[in-house]
Amino acid sequence: AVVSTQSGHYGREPEKVALGTCAVIEEVIIGEDKLIKFSGVNKGEACTVVLRGATKMIVDESERSLHDALCVLTQTVKETRTVFGAGCSEMRMARHVEELAARTPGKEALAIEGFARALRQIPIIIADNGGYDSSQLVSELRAMHSQDKVYSGLNMVTGEVGDVRDLGITESFAVKHAVVNSAAEAAEMILRVDDILKATPRQRGGNECR
């Protein structure tokens, strides 16, 4: 059993100081630090993740990546719907947006086409980050979607276009929805700025106080 000696009930009412039970309590050494490790906890509702790295920058980057992953996991638990990743969803959305632009008369169609181009930037960035030829891969991916192969996405292991269902690449619907909405709102705010007025610097005369 695990008990607390910080409580005022310690020694008088043992049942009020018990924190829980575990299978093993041991002292472990990680680097130069000594830690107490609790193993075999019944509920297992809490855990400790130890991050180590050669430099502080690597540890900070690992912490940021872990934090992002936990945030996505939290959103996925709240909103269980998922969408296919690897650029599949963006290419599919871009195709439907382009079809809407083709049916829309006037200058509004230009803005809709621009939105479609922005959606296609996501698979381009994915390919560039993977060190592959984004122009080649995205053109192949776009051709696959035009042939109604709507489950096509980028395989960053082989550098080819593959079926995301077989690859098992999914993303949280809530995160994807927030990303698209935030990007659209940011672009809309920028477009609302018609002009910038700059005041002419005041000329200083020779009789001004110094």
Side-chain angles (χ1 to χ4, degrees):
V2 181
V3 299
S4 172
T5 59
Q6 305 298 320
S7 173
H9 300 284
Y10 183 72
R12 300 196 308 270
E13 300 177 80
E15 69 279 358
K16 293 186 177 181
V17 298
L19 301 179
T21 59
C22 65
V24 180
I25 301 178
E26 57 184 336
E27 184 181 71
V28 297
I29 298 177
I30 300 178
E32 299 179 352
D33 300 322
K34 293 182 179 180
L35 305 174
I36 302 299
K37 179 182 177 183
F38 298 87
S39 303
V41 181
N42 292 330
K43 292 185 178 180
E45 295 179 351
C47 65
T48 300
V49 180
V50 180
L51 300 177
R52 299 183 64 193
T55 64
K56 185 178 183 300
M57 183 178 64
I58 295 176
V59 175
D60 292 341
E61 182 67 19
S62 300
E63 182 180 2
R64 184 193 64 80
S65 299
L66 179 62
H67 178 268
D68 292 345
L70 292 175
C71 290
V72 172
L73 180 61
T74 302
Q75 293 298 324
T76 305
V77 171
K78 294 179 181 178
E79 172 57 78
T80 57
R81 288 182 293 175
T82 58
V83 296
F84 288 115
C88 173
S89 299
E90 287 80 8
M91 290 301 294
R92 192 168 183 178
M93 287 188 290
R95 179 185 175 187
H96 288 285
V97 172
E98 286 178 335
E99 293 175 354
L100 175 62
R103 299 192 303 267
T104 303
K107 295 183 179 179
E108 185 177 351
L110 300 177
I112 299 175
E113 290 175 355
F115 191 86
R117 288 194 300 271
L119 289 170
R120 285 197 298 272
Q121 289 298 313
I122 299 299
I124 292 176
I125 294 172
I126 293 175
D128 287 337
N129 289 343
Y132 297 105
D133 186 354
S134 59
S135 301
Q136 178 67 25
L137 281 178
V138 174
S139 62
E140 293 178 5
L141 181 60
R142 186 176 183 180
M144 297 291 281
H145 277 264
S146 64
Q147 299 171 14
D148 290 331
K149 296 180 180 180
V150 295
Y151 297 108
S152 299
L154 299 179
N155 185 345
M156 289 292 95
V157 177
T158 61
E160 300 173 345
V161 176
D163 193 317
V164 290
R165 294 174 296 182
D166 298 333
L167 298 174
I169 302 176
T170 58
E171 298 181 30
S172 170
F173 170 80
V175 173
K176 182 70 69 176
H177 185 268
V179 167
V180 175
N181 277 356
S182 299
E185 291 173 0
E188 185 178 353
M189 291 178 61
I190 295 174
L191 291 175
R192 284 179 178 176
V193 180
D194 297 327
D195 198 359
I196 298 177
L197 299 179
K198 298 179 65 176
T200 303
R202 181 167 58 90
Q203 300 296 328
R204 295 184 177 273
N207 296 329
E208 290 187 1
C209 296
R210 292 184 174 83

